[in-house]
Amino acid sequence: MSPAFRAMDVEPRTMGVLLEPFVHQVGGHSCVLRFNETTLCKPLVPREHQFYETLPAEMRKFTPQYKGVVSVCFEEDEDRNLCLIAYPLKGDHGTVDSVDSSDCDPKSKLLRWTNKKHHVLETEKTPKDWVRQHWKEEKVKSHKLEEEFEWLKKSEVLYYSVEKKGNVSSQLKHYNPWSMKCHQQQLQRMKENAKHRNQYKFILLENLTSRYEVPCVLDLKMGTRQHGDDASEEKAANQIRKCQQSTSAVIGVRVCGMQVYQAGSGQLMFMNKYHGRKLSVQGFKEALFQFFHNGRYLRRELLGPVLRKLTELKAVLERQESYRFYSSSLLVIYDGKERPEVALDSDAEDLEDLSEESADESAGAYAFKPIGASSVDVRMIDFAHTTCRLYGEDSVVHEGQDAGYIFGLQSLIDIVTEISEESGE
């Protein structure tokens, strides 16, 4: 048995889950991994863990659901390919909150645990043999993409044409450069620390993209200040400079990452944080417009629901005493999949929200029907530098609201309102 299976703080013969890259990560530097269809995991940061375990009830609808903690270690095969495996913490088998392993795909998962008993999936092969076979198959599939991927990683904004014969959601797995970059960096960090440790704690969180077939994701860095109270002088100065040189200082928000499917051209558009930092206020507004535009027309039916959610979140944060959400992000997510068509002579209820573009004469006998308010989501993420007076060990205790974050929310509300009014909604 390899050191990875011997050295963990888990009981003998405990079954684990093979973790995969989360292909819809568009920003941040911490690696996010896919545990199963509805659950993600990321390295545990004590401050963020404390936030999720103590956050006010009224904030829960604006954050991912917290599902517990797992132990993660890695295996390396003879080709030096690494994979990460999650295990329940010692003495905690089957008690991870709200984790449903029933949707684990046997072809892509190593092992799983359930609330009843542990069992090996589908095969009697040893974990090491299965991992080796899995990574050999993946290596063959990805070999042809390596050269192109190197180019993708260097691009701040890129458009990738999706093959018409392919499935958009499956092709996203190969061409999101930011998620692959974060995954590679995490594996490298763990490999470099292998001599000292091979066991890490990760937190489990709700996968906010799981209900969308082709998730369009906007990651916004919120607030006028990004560094935490515990930041070194060098770190603080670096973060202050980034804010001053971006829209963060002017409007309290900047683009940290974006992934959009444009049905009009059949292209995927990716924008990373480096480009987001360069945007002017007008450029930021244009980026937001681009996020809600599918290449044919503006998805105006999404703007009202987004505004309502932003306004509600602002009211919630205005009631939070002493919280500071330094370096936190706000995600906006909707489905880029083509909406179902309905006949123009359908009931008035079906057509009341049709856009001008789809309702004009050029639309022919059919037009697009909006999917409704439930199709867009707004959530806060990333709380590694969050603080409040409940955190007794903090040397700095703030009073009142997080004015910088709330200022950014108001700016966002104003800009989305402008886009909505200018588009004639």
Side-chain angles (χ1 to χ4, degrees), residues 241-283:
R241 177 181 54 80
K242 290 177 185 177
C243 288
Q244 291 175 339
Q245 295 177 353
S246 70
T247 55
S248 292
V250 185
I251 57 175
V253 55
R254 70 173 183 257
V255 173
C256 192
M258 186 190 301
Q259 169 181 295
V260 184
Y261 176 61
Q262 300 186 316
S265 60
Q267 290 181 320
L268 293 166
M269 190 277 279
F270 299 100
M271 179 185 295
N272 68 26
K273 67 179 182 181
Y274 302 112
H275 185 77
R277 290 177 193 166
K278 299 175 182 177
L279 295 175
S280 63
V281 174
Q282 180 59 29

mmCIF file of all heavy atoms in Angstrom, residues 241-283:
data_model
loop_
_atom_site.group_PDB
_atom_site.id
_atom_site.type_symbol
_atom_site.label_atom_id
_atom_site.label_comp_id
_atom_site.label_asym_id
_atom_site.label_seq_id
_atom_site.Cartn_x
_atom_site.Cartn_y
_atom_site.Cartn_z
ATOM 1 N N ARG A 241 -2.535 48.751 -4.327
ATOM 2 C CA ARG A 241 -2.152 49.147 -5.689
ATOM 3 C C ARG A 241 -3.132 48.580 -6.715
ATOM 4 O O ARG A 241 -3.557 49.276 -7.635
ATOM 5 C CB ARG A 241 -0.732 48.670 -5.982
ATOM 6 C CG ARG A 241 -0.250 48.966 -7.396
ATOM 7 C CD ARG A 241 1.151 48.439 -7.628
ATOM 8 N NE ARG A 241 1.280 47.021 -7.302
ATOM 9 C CZ ARG A 241 0.883 46.038 -8.119
ATOM 10 N NH1 ARG A 241 0.336 46.330 -9.292
ATOM 11 N NH2 ARG A 241 1.031 44.778 -7.765
ATOM 12 N N LYS A 242 -3.501 47.292 -6.560
ATOM 13 C CA LYS A 242 -4.438 46.678 -7.493
ATOM 14 C C LYS A 242 -5.792 47.396 -7.465
ATOM 15 O O LYS A 242 -6.426 47.579 -8.513
ATOM 16 C CB LYS A 242 -4.635 45.197 -7.149
ATOM 17 C CG LYS A 242 -3.431 44.321 -7.442
ATOM 18 C CD LYS A 242 -3.679 42.897 -6.999
ATOM 19 C CE LYS A 242 -2.439 42.022 -7.175
ATOM 20 N NZ LYS A 242 -2.662 40.650 -6.669
ATOM 21 N N CYS A 243 -6.234 47.786 -6.283
ATOM 22 C CA CYS A 243 -7.508 48.503 -6.168
ATOM 23 C C CYS A 243 -7.421 49.873 -6.829
ATOM 24 O O CYS A 243 -8.329 50.291 -7.564
ATOM 25 C CB CYS A 243 -7.913 48.647 -4.699
ATOM 26 S SG CYS A 243 -8.451 47.102 -3.922
ATOM 27 N N GLN A 244 -6.317 50.586 -6.575
ATOM 28 C CA GLN A 244 -6.160 51.936 -7.113
ATOM 29 C C GLN A 244 -6.065 51.935 -8.630
ATOM 30 O O GLN A 244 -6.467 52.906 -9.284
ATOM 31 C CB GLN A 244 -4.920 52.598 -6.506
ATOM 32 C CG GLN A 244 -5.067 52.931 -5.030
ATOM 33 C CD GLN A 244 -3.779 53.468 -4.413
ATOM 34 O OE1 GLN A 244 -2.686 53.246 -4.942
ATOM 35 N NE2 GLN A 244 -3.910 54.168 -3.302
ATOM 36 N N GLN A 245 -5.522 50.863 -9.196
ATOM 37 C CA GLN A 245 -5.327 50.790 -10.643
ATOM 38 C C GLN A 245 -6.491 50.119 -11.365
ATOM 39 O O GLN A 245 -6.408 49.855 -12.568
ATOM 40 C CB GLN A 245 -4.026 50.042 -10.948
ATOM 41 C CG GLN A 245 -2.780 50.767 -10.457
ATOM 42 C CD GLN A 245 -1.505 49.964 -10.700
ATOM 43 O OE1 GLN A 245 -1.558 48.804 -11.115
ATOM 44 N NE2 GLN A 245 -0.364 50.588 -10.448
ATOM 45 N N SER A 246 -7.560 49.841 -10.644
ATOM 46 C CA SER A 246 -8.716 49.175 -11.241
ATOM 47 C C SER A 246 -9.994 49.902 -10.845
ATOM 48 O O SER A 246 -9.962 50.934 -10.166
ATOM 49 C CB SER A 246 -8.786 47.718 -10.769
ATOM 50 O OG SER A 246 -9.134 47.655 -9.389
ATOM 51 N N THR A 247 -11.125 49.340 -11.260
ATOM 52 C CA THR A 247 -12.413 49.948 -10.918
ATOM 53 C C THR A 247 -12.773 49.770 -9.443
ATOM 54 O O THR A 247 -13.733 50.380 -8.973
ATOM 55 C CB THR A 247 -13.537 49.355 -11.786
ATOM 56 O OG1 THR A 247 -13.527 47.920 -11.649
ATOM 57 C CG2 THR A 247 -13.348 49.719 -13.251
ATOM 58 N N SER A 248 -12.014 48.949 -8.714
ATOM 59 C CA SER A 248 -12.319 48.737 -7.288
ATOM 60 C C SER A 248 -12.321 50.046 -6.515
ATOM 61 O O SER A 248 -13.185 50.286 -5.660
ATOM 62 C CB SER A 248 -11.300 47.769 -6.668
ATOM 63 O OG SER A 248 -11.442 46.479 -7.193
ATOM 64 N N ALA A 249 -11.338 50.919 -6.782
ATOM 65 C CA ALA A 249 -11.228 52.176 -6.042
ATOM 66 C C ALA A 249 -12.337 53.151 -6.414
ATOM 67 O O ALA A 249 -12.781 53.952 -5.581
ATOM 68 C CB ALA A 249 -9.867 52.815 -6.301
ATOM 69 N N VAL A 250 -12.815 53.088 -7.650
ATOM 70 C CA VAL A 250 -13.788 54.064 -8.149
ATOM 71 C C VAL A 250 -15.224 53.651 -7.858
ATOM 72 O O VAL A 250 -16.039 54.462 -7.398
ATOM 73 C CB VAL A 250 -13.608 54.269 -9.672
ATOM 74 C CG1 VAL A 250 -14.541 55.375 -10.177
ATOM 75 C CG2 VAL A 250 -12.159 54.605 -9.994
ATOM 76 N N ILE A 251 -15.541 52.368 -8.111
ATOM 77 C CA ILE A 251 -16.927 51.919 -7.931
ATOM 78 C C ILE A 251 -17.062 50.741 -6.967
ATOM 79 O O ILE A 251 -18.160 50.224 -6.761
ATOM 80 C CB ILE A 251 -17.567 51.545 -9.289
ATOM 81 C CG1 ILE A 251 -16.749 50.454 -10.000
ATOM 82 C CG2 ILE A 251 -17.707 52.784 -10.177
ATOM 83 C CD1 ILE A 251 -17.384 49.944 -11.290
ATOM 84 N N GLY A 252 -15.953 50.278 -6.375
ATOM 85 C CA GLY A 252 -16.031 49.223 -5.361
ATOM 86 C C GLY A 252 -16.275 47.827 -5.895
ATOM 87 O O GLY A 252 -16.676 46.932 -5.149
ATOM 88 N N VAL A 253 -16.002 47.612 -7.180
ATOM 89 C CA VAL A 253 -16.196 46.291 -7.775
ATOM 90 C C VAL A 253 -15.352 46.202 -9.043
ATOM 91 O O VAL A 253 -15.155 47.203 -9.742
ATOM 92 C CB VAL A 253 -17.694 46.039 -8.102
ATOM 93 C CG1 VAL A 253 -18.272 47.139 -8.990
ATOM 94 C CG2 VAL A 253 -17.897 44.674 -8.730
ATOM 95 N N ARG A 254 -14.823 45.005 -9.330
ATOM 96 C CA ARG A 254 -14.104 44.784 -10.584
ATOM 97 C C ARG A 254 -14.338 43.358 -11.058
ATOM 98 O O ARG A 254 -14.695 42.473 -10.267
ATOM 99 C CB ARG A 254 -12.605 45.066 -10.437
ATOM 100 C CG ARG A 254 -11.820 44.067 -9.595
ATOM 101 C CD ARG A 254 -10.321 44.372 -9.662
ATOM 102 N NE ARG A 254 -9.490 43.421 -8.938
ATOM 103 C CZ ARG A 254 -8.936 43.632 -7.754
ATOM 104 N NH1 ARG A 254 -9.160 44.784 -7.123
ATOM 105 N NH2 ARG A 254 -8.175 42.715 -7.194
ATOM 106 N N VAL A 255 -14.140 43.141 -12.347
ATOM 107 C CA VAL A 255 -14.309 41.812 -12.928
ATOM 108 C C VAL A 255 -13.113 40.949 -12.544
ATOM 109 O O VAL A 255 -11.963 41.316 -12.759
ATOM 110 C CB VAL A 255 -14.430 41.882 -14.462
ATOM 111 C CG1 VAL A 255 -14.442 40.472 -15.058
ATOM 112 C CG2 VAL A 255 -15.689 42.631 -14.877
ATOM 113 N N CYS A 256 -13.408 39.770 -11.977
ATOM 114 C CA CYS A 256 -12.361 38.833 -11.577
ATOM 115 C C CYS A 256 -12.321 37.623 -12.503
ATOM 116 O O CYS A 256 -11.348 36.881 -12.515
ATOM 117 C CB CYS A 256 -12.605 38.395 -10.141
ATOM 118 S SG CYS A 256 -11.227 37.520 -9.385
ATOM 119 N N GLY A 257 -13.368 37.442 -13.278
ATOM 120 C CA GLY A 257 -13.412 36.321 -14.215
ATOM 121 C C GLY A 257 -14.788 36.217 -14.848
ATOM 122 O O GLY A 257 -15.785 36.665 -14.266
ATOM 123 N N MET A 258 -14.837 35.628 -16.040
ATOM 124 C CA MET A 258 -16.114 35.516 -16.744
ATOM 125 C C MET A 258 -16.071 34.333 -17.706
ATOM 126 O O MET A 258 -15.049 34.058 -18.330
ATOM 127 C CB MET A 258 -16.404 36.801 -17.519
ATOM 128 C CG MET A 258 -17.780 36.841 -18.164
ATOM 129 S SD MET A 258 -17.990 38.252 -19.325
ATOM 130 C CE MET A 258 -17.693 39.639 -18.254
ATOM 131 N N GLN A 259 -17.191 33.661 -17.807
ATOM 132 C CA GLN A 259 -17.377 32.571 -18.768
ATOM 133 C C GLN A 259 -18.766 32.732 -19.370
ATOM 134 O O GLN A 259 -19.755 32.720 -18.649
ATOM 135 C CB GLN A 259 -17.255 31.226 -18.057
ATOM 136 C CG GLN A 259 -17.688 30.012 -18.875
ATOM 137 C CD GLN A 259 -17.564 28.737 -18.073
ATOM 138 O OE1 GLN A 259 -16.465 28.318 -17.699
ATOM 139 N NE2 GLN A 259 -18.693 28.093 -17.774
ATOM 140 N N VAL A 260 -18.849 32.936 -20.690
ATOM 141 C CA VAL A 260 -20.136 33.176 -21.335
ATOM 142 C C VAL A 260 -20.240 32.337 -22.602
ATOM 143 O O VAL A 260 -19.281 32.282 -23.382
ATOM 144 C CB VAL A 260 -20.314 34.664 -21.715
ATOM 145 C CG1 VAL A 260 -21.703 34.900 -22.308
ATOM 146 C CG2 VAL A 260 -20.117 35.568 -20.514
ATOM 147 N N TYR A 261 -21.391 31.715 -22.791
ATOM 148 C CA TYR A 261 -21.658 31.022 -24.045
ATOM 149 C C TYR A 261 -22.476 31.935 -24.934
ATOM 150 O O TYR A 261 -23.535 32.425 -24.532
ATOM 151 C CB TYR A 261 -22.417 29.714 -23.804
ATOM 152 C CG TYR A 261 -22.789 29.015 -25.094
ATOM 153 C CD1 TYR A 261 -21.804 28.588 -25.984
ATOM 154 C CD2 TYR A 261 -24.121 28.794 -25.422
ATOM 155 C CE1 TYR A 261 -22.131 27.955 -27.169
ATOM 156 C CE2 TYR A 261 -24.460 28.149 -26.605
ATOM 157 C CZ TYR A 261 -23.459 27.743 -27.478
ATOM 158 O OH TYR A 261 -23.784 27.114 -28.648
ATOM 159 N N GLN A 262 -21.983 32.188 -26.139
ATOM 160 C CA GLN A 262 -22.677 33.057 -27.080
ATOM 161 C C GLN A 262 -23.308 32.205 -28.171
ATOM 162 O O GLN A 262 -22.638 31.730 -29.095
ATOM 163 C CB GLN A 262 -21.697 34.079 -27.662
ATOM 164 C CG GLN A 262 -21.096 34.956 -26.561
ATOM 165 C CD GLN A 262 -20.244 36.078 -27.106
ATOM 166 O OE1 GLN A 262 -19.451 35.869 -28.007
ATOM 167 N NE2 GLN A 262 -20.415 37.260 -26.540
ATOM 168 N N ALA A 263 -24.620 32.024 -28.026
ATOM 169 C CA ALA A 263 -25.347 31.144 -28.935
ATOM 170 C C ALA A 263 -25.314 31.664 -30.365
ATOM 171 O O ALA A 263 -25.357 30.887 -31.321
ATOM 172 C CB ALA A 263 -26.794 30.998 -28.459
ATOM 173 N N GLY A 264 -25.228 32.987 -30.531
ATOM 174 C CA GLY A 264 -25.242 33.562 -31.869
ATOM 175 C C GLY A 264 -24.087 33.097 -32.725
ATOM 176 O O GLY A 264 -24.245 32.839 -33.925
ATOM 177 N N SER A 265 -22.909 32.972 -32.135
ATOM 178 C CA SER A 265 -21.718 32.573 -32.878
ATOM 179 C C SER A 265 -21.250 31.164 -32.542
ATOM 180 O O SER A 265 -20.318 30.649 -33.155
ATOM 181 C CB SER A 265 -20.576 33.553 -32.592
ATOM 182 O OG SER A 265 -20.277 33.567 -31.202
ATOM 183 N N GLY A 266 -21.901 30.540 -31.540
ATOM 184 C CA GLY A 266 -21.464 29.219 -31.103
ATOM 185 C C GLY A 266 -20.106 29.256 -30.438
ATOM 186 O O GLY A 266 -19.341 28.298 -30.499
ATOM 187 N N GLN A 267 -19.803 30.376 -29.757
ATOM 188 C CA GLN A 267 -18.498 30.545 -29.125
ATOM 189 C C GLN A 267 -18.602 30.611 -27.607
ATOM 190 O O GLN A 267 -19.604 31.064 -27.057
ATOM 191 C CB GLN A 267 -17.821 31.825 -29.617
ATOM 192 C CG GLN A 267 -17.367 31.792 -31.063
ATOM 193 C CD GLN A 267 -16.685 33.079 -31.458
ATOM 194 O OE1 GLN A 267 -17.101 34.178 -31.078
ATOM 195 N NE2 GLN A 267 -15.619 32.969 -32.243
ATOM 196 N N LEU A 268 -17.543 30.152 -26.959
ATOM 197 C CA LEU A 268 -17.371 30.350 -25.524
ATOM 198 C C LEU A 268 -16.421 31.530 -25.341
ATOM 199 O O LEU A 268 -15.381 31.586 -26.001
ATOM 200 C CB LEU A 268 -16.770 29.100 -24.877
ATOM 201 C CG LEU A 268 -17.650 27.861 -24.866
ATOM 202 C CD1 LEU A 268 -16.816 26.630 -24.515
ATOM 203 C CD2 LEU A 268 -18.781 28.029 -23.873
ATOM 204 N N MET A 269 -16.772 32.463 -24.480
ATOM 205 C CA MET A 269 -15.907 33.599 -24.206
ATOM 206 C C MET A 269 -15.407 33.511 -22.776
ATOM 207 O O MET A 269 -16.182 33.316 -21.843
ATOM 208 C CB MET A 269 -16.654 34.917 -24.409
ATOM 209 C CG MET A 269 -15.742 36.150 -24.373
ATOM 210 S SD MET A 269 -15.355 36.748 -22.714
ATOM 211 C CE MET A 269 -16.835 37.678 -22.358
ATOM 212 N N PHE A 270 -14.094 33.614 -22.583
ATOM 213 C CA PHE A 270 -13.486 33.609 -21.260
ATOM 214 C C PHE A 270 -12.750 34.925 -21.042
ATOM 215 O O PHE A 270 -12.046 35.400 -21.933
ATOM 216 C CB PHE A 270 -12.485 32.455 -21.122
ATOM 217 C CG PHE A 270 -13.085 31.096 -21.294
ATOM 218 C CD1 PHE A 270 -12.972 30.421 -22.500
ATOM 219 C CD2 PHE A 270 -13.767 30.490 -20.252
ATOM 220 C CE1 PHE A 270 -13.518 29.161 -22.670
ATOM 221 C CE2 PHE A 270 -14.325 29.228 -20.412
ATOM 222 C CZ PHE A 270 -14.197 28.565 -21.619
ATOM 223 N N MET A 271 -12.906 35.503 -19.876
ATOM 224 C CA MET A 271 -12.168 36.705 -19.491
ATOM 225 C C MET A 271 -11.565 36.444 -18.114
ATOM 226 O O MET A 271 -12.261 35.997 -17.205
ATOM 227 C CB MET A 271 -13.091 37.924 -19.432
ATOM 228 C CG MET A 271 -12.389 39.218 -19.022
ATOM 229 S SD MET A 271 -13.551 40.615 -18.831
ATOM 230 C CE MET A 271 -14.141 40.798 -20.515
ATOM 231 N N ASN A 272 -10.264 36.718 -17.938
ATOM 232 C CA ASN A 272 -9.651 36.462 -16.636
ATOM 233 C C ASN A 272 -9.437 37.752 -15.846
ATOM 234 O O ASN A 272 -9.739 38.860 -16.313
ATOM 235 C CB ASN A 272 -8.354 35.659 -16.782
ATOM 236 C CG ASN A 272 -7.234 36.436 -17.467
ATOM 237 O OD1 ASN A 272 -7.188 37.668 -17.444
ATOM 238 N ND2 ASN A 272 -6.312 35.715 -18.082
ATOM 239 N N LYS A 273 -8.910 37.609 -14.639
ATOM 240 C CA LYS A 273 -8.799 38.743 -13.724
ATOM 241 C C LYS A 273 -7.812 39.796 -14.201
ATOM 242 O O LYS A 273 -7.944 40.974 -13.850
ATOM 243 C CB LYS A 273 -8.407 38.258 -12.331
ATOM 244 C CG LYS A 273 -7.001 37.660 -12.230
ATOM 245 C CD LYS A 273 -6.716 37.225 -10.800
ATOM 246 C CE LYS A 273 -5.311 36.664 -10.648
ATOM 247 N NZ LYS A 273 -5.046 36.214 -9.255
ATOM 248 N N TYR A 274 -6.816 39.388 -14.988
ATOM 249 C CA TYR A 274 -5.820 40.346 -15.452
ATOM 250 C C TYR A 274 -6.444 41.366 -16.394
ATOM 251 O O TYR A 274 -6.121 42.553 -16.357
ATOM 252 C CB TYR A 274 -4.658 39.608 -16.123
ATOM 253 C CG TYR A 274 -4.007 38.610 -15.207
ATOM 254 C CD1 TYR A 274 -4.113 37.245 -15.443
ATOM 255 C CD2 TYR A 274 -3.319 39.029 -14.070
ATOM 256 C CE1 TYR A 274 -3.539 36.317 -14.587
ATOM 257 C CE2 TYR A 274 -2.740 38.108 -13.206
ATOM 258 C CZ TYR A 274 -2.853 36.763 -13.470
ATOM 259 O OH TYR A 274 -2.294 35.849 -12.608
ATOM 260 N N HIS A 275 -7.357 40.894 -17.224
ATOM 261 C CA HIS A 275 -8.071 41.827 -18.093
ATOM 262 C C HIS A 275 -9.056 42.658 -17.272
ATOM 263 O O HIS A 275 -9.225 43.862 -17.526
ATOM 264 C CB HIS A 275 -8.813 41.066 -19.196
ATOM 265 C CG HIS A 275 -9.458 41.967 -20.193
ATOM 266 N ND1 HIS A 275 -8.756 42.599 -21.183
ATOM 267 C CD2 HIS A 275 -10.757 42.366 -20.337
ATOM 268 C CE1 HIS A 275 -9.575 43.338 -21.911
ATOM 269 N NE2 HIS A 275 -10.796 43.215 -21.418
ATOM 270 N N GLY A 276 -9.692 42.009 -16.288
ATOM 271 C CA GLY A 276 -10.652 42.718 -15.447
ATOM 272 C C GLY A 276 -10.038 43.900 -14.718
ATOM 273 O O GLY A 276 -10.690 44.929 -14.522
ATOM 274 N N ARG A 277 -8.776 43.773 -14.327
ATOM 275 C CA ARG A 277 -8.103 44.871 -13.620
ATOM 276 C C ARG A 277 -7.852 46.076 -14.520
ATOM 277 O O ARG A 277 -7.720 47.195 -14.038
ATOM 278 C CB ARG A 277 -6.757 44.387 -13.064
ATOM 279 C CG ARG A 277 -6.851 43.419 -11.910
ATOM 280 C CD ARG A 277 -5.457 42.975 -11.517
ATOM 281 N NE ARG A 277 -5.479 41.831 -10.620
ATOM 282 C CZ ARG A 277 -4.423 41.091 -10.344
ATOM 283 N NH1 ARG A 277 -3.248 41.378 -10.903
ATOM 284 N NH2 ARG A 277 -4.516 40.062 -9.527
ATOM 285 N N LYS A 278 -7.768 45.839 -15.824
ATOM 286 C CA LYS A 278 -7.441 46.916 -16.760
ATOM 287 C C LYS A 278 -8.662 47.729 -17.189
ATOM 288 O O LYS A 278 -8.517 48.781 -17.804
ATOM 289 C CB LYS A 278 -6.774 46.330 -18.010
ATOM 290 C CG LYS A 278 -5.464 45.607 -17.736
ATOM 291 C CD LYS A 278 -4.944 44.964 -19.012
ATOM 292 C CE LYS A 278 -3.669 44.187 -18.771
ATOM 293 N NZ LYS A 278 -3.193 43.495 -20.000
ATOM 294 N N LEU A 279 -9.845 47.232 -16.903
ATOM 295 C CA LEU A 279 -11.057 47.878 -17.392
ATOM 296 C C LEU A 279 -11.303 49.226 -16.725
ATOM 297 O O LEU A 279 -11.109 49.386 -15.516
ATOM 298 C CB LEU A 279 -12.274 46.981 -17.150
ATOM 299 C CG LEU A 279 -12.312 45.645 -17.908
ATOM 300 C CD1 LEU A 279 -13.513 44.832 -17.453
ATOM 301 C CD2 LEU A 279 -12.336 45.869 -19.405
ATOM 302 N N SER A 280 -11.755 50.195 -17.519
ATOM 303 C CA SER A 280 -12.245 51.459 -16.981
ATOM 304 C C SER A 280 -13.673 51.240 -16.490
ATOM 305 O O SER A 280 -14.230 50.139 -16.659
ATOM 306 C CB SER A 280 -12.237 52.533 -18.077
ATOM 307 O OG SER A 280 -13.130 52.148 -19.119
ATOM 308 N N VAL A 281 -14.294 52.253 -15.925
ATOM 309 C CA VAL A 281 -15.687 52.112 -15.488
ATOM 310 C C VAL A 281 -16.571 51.814 -16.693
ATOM 311 O O VAL A 281 -17.464 50.957 -16.629
ATOM 312 C CB VAL A 281 -16.166 53.386 -14.754
ATOM 313 C CG1 VAL A 281 -17.657 53.291 -14.448
ATOM 314 C CG2 VAL A 281 -15.382 53.578 -13.454
ATOM 315 N N GLN A 282 -16.317 52.494 -17.804
ATOM 316 C CA GLN A 282 -17.087 52.230 -19.012
ATOM 317 C C GLN A 282 -16.803 50.813 -19.522
ATOM 318 O O GLN A 282 -17.715 50.104 -19.967
ATOM 319 C CB GLN A 282 -16.739 53.257 -20.098
ATOM 320 C CG GLN A 282 -17.487 53.070 -21.412
ATOM 321 C CD GLN A 282 -18.999 53.151 -21.260
ATOM 322 O OE1 GLN A 282 -19.506 53.842 -20.366
ATOM 323 N NE2 GLN A 282 -19.732 52.448 -22.118
ATOM 324 N N GLY A 283 -15.547 50.391 -19.434
ATOM 325 C CA GLY A 283 -15.195 49.037 -19.842
ATOM 326 C C GLY A 283 -15.872 47.991 -18.974
ATOM 327 O O GLY A 283 -16.282 46.924 -19.458
#
